[in-house]
Amino acid sequence: MRSVLPPGIARRLWQVMAGGGILATVVYTVFPSSVLSNVAFAGLAVTVVAACFIGPRRWAAEPPSAWRSMAAAALLFMIGVLIRPTVTDMAMPWPLLADAASFSGYLLLGVFVLILLHRRGSLDRHAALDGLTVCLSAGVASTLLLALPAAAIADRDPVLSLIQGTYPLFDIMLALLTVNLTFTAKHWPVSLIGLLTMMIGIFVGDLAYAIEGVSGKIYGSPLLNVPFMLAYTALGVAALHPSVADMGRAAKPPVQAWSWPRMSLLLPALAVPYALLLTPVSRSATGRNLIAVAGCLSVALLLIRAVSAVRAQVAAQLRSEHQATHDPLTGLPNRQSMTSQIARLVTVADPEGHDRVWVYMLDLDGFKWVNDSWGHDTGDQLVIEVGRRLRSTVPGSIPVSRVGGDEFLLGFIGEKGGALRLVDDIRGCFARPFTVRDHDVVISASIGISHAEGDPDNATVTAEALMRDADTAMYRAKGEGPGRSTIFDTSMHAQVRERIELEVALRQALADEQLHVAYQPIVRLESGIPVGAEALVRWLHPERGAIPPMTFIPIAEDAGLITAIGTWVRKEALRQLGVWRSEGTVGDDFYLSINVSPRQLSDPELPLIVSGEMMRYGVPPHCVALEMTESVMVDGSSVTSRVLFELRELGVKLLIDDFGTGFSALGYLRRFPVTGVKIDRSFVTGLGVNHEDDEIVRAVVAMSHALGLSVIAEGVETPLQREALYAVGVVNGQGWLWGAAVPAPEFAQRWRDVVLRGPEIPAIVSNPSGRHRRPD
Ligand code: C2E
Ligand code: MG
Ligand code: MG
């Protein structure tokens, strides 16, 4: 079907259906009791049966079984209506044939509505109880007013009469189900309106039949069928309209309150038995008995409904209390409830003795990378797993809560030994990788710990202070590297304040142009002649003077300022190099080495931006090196990896800064397009004195040569270190031996001096090892 009908036509079919239905009804009304009217009726019914297959299939309405049973119901109704005039006057049990068809039709119609209700999640206990109450009243009323009088008609079979009176009862039940459908609908699409119209049509038709039935007629004028024809038309429209797909979609039931629309159905329903007492039907014993039973039942239903409502209220309250005190993701207590749990521990702890309250604040290291590389769903899953593992590892008496994105808080009461053992337990949770959506995620947590004596009088204040201090200690632990733990001490407060002040000042610094770039030469060890320079950012604070990058770069990273700073430094350095090149200050191969932080490398636009800047300042790619730490490659997301490859394709050098201080796994050197390493200062310091450092540098050089990487030694301060580096085959070095980082004019002056007068530091004459293969 989907492929046969063009979408434009399929979209308009319901209008054709509406027009056709009305036309058939007009024909039926104008030529009653004729062959033509029968053809119109049957034609309409068969079309609608087909529509119940075609529409839902075209618009992918779920579930198809619902619409199949509706189609069957429509077919059965048609059979019932068409055979009724013929069978009514036959002997029993023939007349029952029409009713058998109609009854089965009702059953299937009921099934249809029930399936839809189920699909939409709209079946609700309270709605059902309310429905039953209304049904009961309508049932007793229709029995007493319609069915019993019909049954009392002497000259026909009482079974037949009774059956006639029960039709409106069916209708009432179906109408209630449909009303439930509307109660729980958020909006009213055409299909829903169509179904409601169908129900009204059926109800009016059946009521008309039943009223006729009281006067003894089972089958009166064929015009009684007009409402059914309209019902068919409405059903056809409902099935063919595109909104038929919405009928089976979950519409979350709103709170089933006794709303005014519902009360306007319920109140008359409850009054029905009493109102019936005032009518003649209560004069007979059967009538009175029926009214009494219905009255009792409706009171019982009312009571059940009331009790159930109260219970639901209590359950809702408990649920909302749980929601207010628990984290929805992990199900662990949230910060608010953790505060009161820690306050409780503070009241229990010993005011002077050994048992203190310990609070642990955990923050996952590199969680942002997990989120960025694998998506937030995986991040959420990881948080759930961490929560689960923490909860199952530490004893049940120790409260564990989630207090932020990737932050967990634990509380413990006891002496120091126990408190430290708990740190080991927590660390143990992170020893094994977490399996999240088929990925093995290795992650550590930084732990900040605070502790206090018991203080029943100020429990909440102490609890809040403990949590704040644990947080401060956690930040300190983070600063020391991943997987560390730190116990709070009061000096940390001052540090935190200082850090916040610096962050504010740094934002200002960018705007006020307090930053500038200094250049430190990178030289050939052999000749002492610079081959390039590293661009290093400097911050001159108007009051505090020079603030070292080691202090403000980490703050910039945390505060999200590093991209802005890094971009500014890179632009400025490239601009400067462009000027030096055009002035002839530096040679054609002189390169600038620029530091980039991990966050900059996660910007997919970076290669494009860098290539634009190089073009703008007339700097060829081989004159640009980007320095990054090993962590970039170890934690690297797929975006970072792509950025690195694209940068390398541009032709810029990629150097690993502070090489040797980070990770022991060196596989990334082969996986990523790295061109060189900068041996960290810490290894250079001990050269010629510490044998181990000699060996490490020797190994790094051997490995780099094997992989075709260039080597630069950082922090070369003494001739002795230079000799030792040269002896193991290092080609280039950087350090105070040749000069610290200086502003651009000063750097240019020195460079000119070197070119004119030769290097101040004498060149190495011999080449003792012959290992110098890459004069990069
Ligand atoms: P780095 O990239 O390893 O830079 C080398 C650091 O060693 C510089 O410190 C430099 O002044 C210092 N240094 C150079 N020679 C010697 C020496 O002989 N002895 C000693 N003891 N130190 C020496 P600086 O300028 O304080 O920068 C520190 C770090 O801040 C840099 O380490 C780099 O990681 C970061 N940094 C500096 N500028 C930027 C930047 O523009 N962007 C980013 N992301 N980081 C930067
Ligand atoms: Mg560097
Ligand atoms: Mg370095």
Side-chain angles (χ1 to χ4, degrees):
M1 179 65 215
R2 200 171 277 255
S3 54
V4 176
L5 267 186
I9 295 181
R11 229 164 245 291
R12 304 213 156 265
L13 267 187
W14 68 276
Q15 290 166 340
V16 177
M17 178 73 241
I22 290 166
L23 190 69
T25 313
V26 169
V27 169
Y28 185 89
T29 319
V30 176
F31 308 102
S33 305
S34 66
V35 177
L36 199 59
S37 73
N38 274 346
V39 169
F41 190 93
L44 175 62
V46 170
T47 312
V48 170
V49 170
C52 285
F53 282 100
I54 294 168
R57 209 172 135 199
R58 174 64 184 83
W59 305 115
E62 290 288 333
S65 57
W67 288 92
R68 275 201 292 275
S69 90
M70 187 62 240
L75 197 67
L76 285 164
F77 283 139
M78 178 194 78
I79 295 171
V81 168
L82 288 181
I83 65 172
R84 190 170 300 281
T86 319
V87 296
T88 300
D89 298 327
M90 291 175 148
M92 279 296 269
W94 289 109
L96 290 182
L97 212 59
D99 296 311
S102 304
F103 270 40
S104 322
Y106 276 109
L107 226 62
L108 287 169
L109 178 55
V111 168
F112 164 73
V113 184
L114 272 173
I115 295 178
L116 284 193
L117 280 174
H118 180 68
R119 255 294 155 128
R120 296 162 68 91
S122 302
L123 282 175
D124 175 87
R125 183 181 154 83
H126 291 161
L129 281 171
D130 291 347
L132 267 179
T133 309
V134 178
C135 268
L136 180 74
S137 302
V140 74
S142 94
T143 311
L144 288 175
L145 299 174
L146 300 171
L148 287 184
I153 289 168
D155 58 350
R156 70 170 184 209
D157 200 304
V159 179
L160 218 52
S161 302
L162 200 66
I163 286 172
Q164 300 317 310
T166 41
Y167 277 108
L169 226 125
F170 273 119
D171 293 332
I172 288 161
M173 290 173 85
L174 289 174
L176 273 164
L177 288 176
T178 317
V179 165
N180 200 334
L181 209 63
T182 60
F183 272 170
T184 53
K186 285 196 203 110
H187 53 106
W188 283 45
V190 171
S191 285
L192 182 61
I193 297 173
L195 285 184
L196 283 182
T197 314
M198 171 191 81
M199 289 311 305
I200 293 168
I202 296 179
F203 186 69
V204 170
D206 284 346
L207 197 65
Y209 263 92
I211 292 169
E212 283 272 303
V214 174
S215 60
K217 282 183 252 165
I218 286 178
Y219 174 73
S221 157
L223 291 182
L224 287 181
N225 288 333
V226 168
F228 295 134
M229 294 199 70
L230 292 174
Y232 269 121
T233 310
L235 171 61
V237 168
L240 291 173
H241 193 269
S243 63
V244 67
D246 294 342
M247 299 309 300
R249 292 210 181 110
K252 217 173 160 32
V255 176
Q256 297 289 323
W258 270 331
S259 57
W260 279 114
R262 198 171 285 209
M263 287 305 263
S264 62
L265 274 177
L266 275 173
L267 281 178
L270 288 168
V272 159
Y274 306 98
L276 283 174
L277 282 176
L278 303 174
T279 64
V281 292
S282 65
R283 272 182 228 135
S284 74
T286 325
R288 273 200 307 279
N289 289 344
L290 260 177
I291 291 170
V293 171
C296 290
L297 279 176
S298 83
V299 169
L301 279 172
L302 192 66
L303 265 179
I304 296 172
R305 172 63 161 97
V307 170
S308 166
V310 171
R311 283 216 183 119
Q313 181 71 25
V314 172
Q317 202 163 337
L318 286 178
R319 216 171 26 245
S320 86
E321 271 169 24
H322 187 270
Q323 273 166 5
T325 54
H326 286 73
D327 162 47
L329 191 63
T330 57
L332 293 172
N334 61 12
R335 182 183 285 275
Q336 187 201 348
S337 83
M338 193 61 178
T339 311
S340 48
Q341 292 199 46
I342 292 175
R344 192 180 48 78
L345 293 182
V346 174
T347 55
V348 180
D350 208 341
E352 270 139 42
H354 291 299
D355 278 355
R356 301 173 73 87
V357 181
W358 300 79
V359 171
Y360 303 75
M361 171 69 84
L362 268 75
D363 186 283
L364 304 184
D365 301 318
F367 180 68
K368 191 186 156 299
W369 290 104
V370 174
N371 262 343
D372 287 355
S373 338
W374 287 307
H376 287 262
D377 282 354
T378 309
D380 282 355
Q381 211 54 43
L382 177 65
V383 166
I384 293 173
E385 286 303 318
V386 169
R388 216 176 266 161
R389 206 177 276 183
L390 278 171
R391 185 60 280 175
S392 63
T393 305
V394 305
S397 59
I398 294 177
V400 177
S401 67
R402 174 174 179 241
V403 293
D406 60 340
E407 291 179 339
F408 294 87
L409 205 66
L410 284 84
F412 171 69
I413 197 161
E415 28 137 16
K416 190 167 183 181
L420 294 182
R421 271 196 300 282
L422 183 56
V423 176
D424 290 338
D425 288 349
I426 296 172
R427 282 236 184 80
C429 287
F430 296 90
R432 281 177 293 124
F434 291 88
T435 307
V436 179
R437 308 216 158 155
D438 299 334
H439 299 295
D440 270 354
V441 183
V442 180
I443 201 157
S444 59
S446 299
I447 310 171
I449 306 156
S450 61
H451 55 102
E453 293 167 344
D455 182 7
D457 300 333
N458 281 312
T460 310
V461 178
T462 312
E464 275 163 7
L466 275 170
M467 286 160 69
R468 193 193 54 222
D469 293 350
D471 203 42
T472 305
M474 188 275 291
Y475 272 106
R476 165 53 74 86
K478 261 217 172 283
E480 289 172 4
R484 301 293 186 89
S485 58
T486 303
I487 298 183
F488 175 81
D489 74 67
T490 42
S491 71
M492 288 179 191
H493 275 318
Q495 288 160 8
V496 168
R497 210 172 316 120
E498 153 102 3
R499 202 184 156 94
I500 294 170
E501 277 172 20
L502 272 183
E503 185 183 321
V504 174
L506 189 55
R507 281 179 202 278
Q508 200 58 40
L510 253 178
D512 291 356
E513 298 181 359
Q514 294 167 17
L515 300 182
H516 63 270
V517 182
Y519 301 87
Q520 184 178 32
I522 298 171
V523 304
R524 286 287 300 275
L525 291 184
E526 203 174 1
S527 61
I529 292 178
V531 291
E534 177 170 4
L536 292 158
V537 67
R538 294 287 174 262
W539 179 14
L540 197 64
H541 191 280
E543 283 135 37
R544 302 169 61 153
I547 296 172
M550 285 313 224
T551 308
F552 72 83
I553 293 287
I555 296 177
E557 306 240 15
D558 278 356
L561 289 169
I562 194 66
T563 308
I565 293 179
T567 304
W568 180 81
V569 170
R570 190 182 61 236
K571 254 197 188 148
E572 173 56 20
L574 291 175
R575 187 197 62 77
Q576 185 62 65
L577 182 57
V579 172
W580 281 339
R581 284 172 62 89
S582 64
E583 285 174 351
T585 310
V586 298
D588 283 347
D589 292 333
F590 180 93
Y591 72 91
L592 271 193
S593 203
I594 302 162
N595 294 285
V596 285
S597 81
R599 201 185 283 224
Q600 288 176 271
L601 289 167
S602 64
D603 176 8
E605 302 287 312
L606 186 70
L608 202 69
I609 297 173
V610 171
S611 105
E613 287 169 355
M614 290 191 302
M615 211 121 79
R616 178 170 169 199
Y617 297 117
V619 174
H622 78 276
C623 293
V624 178
L626 298 178
E627 295 185 13
M628 64 214 69
T629 49
E630 289 160 281
S631 61
V632 166
M633 269 143 257
V634 176
D635 302 341
S637 68
S638 52
V639 177
T640 304
S641 155
R642 208 169 50 243
V643 167
L644 287 176
F645 277 96
E646 283 175 23
L647 284 170
R648 184 65 200 123
E649 262 168 40
L650 287 180
V652 305
K653 302 186 214 318
L654 299 178
L655 307 179
I656 304 294
D657 204 354
D658 307 336
F659 186 74
T661 53
F663 297 83
S664 46
L666 296 175
Y668 69 85
L669 286 177
R670 297 176 61 143
R671 272 204 316 279
F672 293 100
V674 174
T675 58
V677 299
K678 294 184 80 176
I679 302 178
D680 189 62
R681 192 166 66 231
S682 56
F683 302 107
V684 175
T685 315
L687 278 186
V689 185
N690 184 341
H691 181 63
E692 259 176 34
D693 284 348
D694 283 346
E695 285 308 314
I696 291 175
V697 174
R698 202 186 299 277
V700 169
V701 172
M703 181 202 66
S704 303
H705 282 171
L707 293 172
L709 303 174
S710 67
V711 180
I712 299 168
E714 289 187 291
V716 186
E717 293 180 356
T718 65
L720 187 67
Q721 289 164 351
R722 183 190 60 161
E723 301 305 326
L725 286 164
Y726 188 73
V728 295
V730 176
V731 180
N732 294 323
Q734 177 184 350
W736 294 344
L737 179 65
W738 298 282
V742 290
E746 221 173 295
F747 184 87
Q749 183 58 45
R750 272 218 222 148
W751 166 258
R752 271 193 219 105
D753 289 350
V754 169
V755 172
L756 289 177
R757 288 193 284 276
E760 287 159 23
I761 310 297
I764 294 170
V765 193
S766 64
N767 179 354
S769 67
R771 288 189 182 93
H772 303 85
R773 272 183 273 152
R774 275 183 68 100
D776 205 21

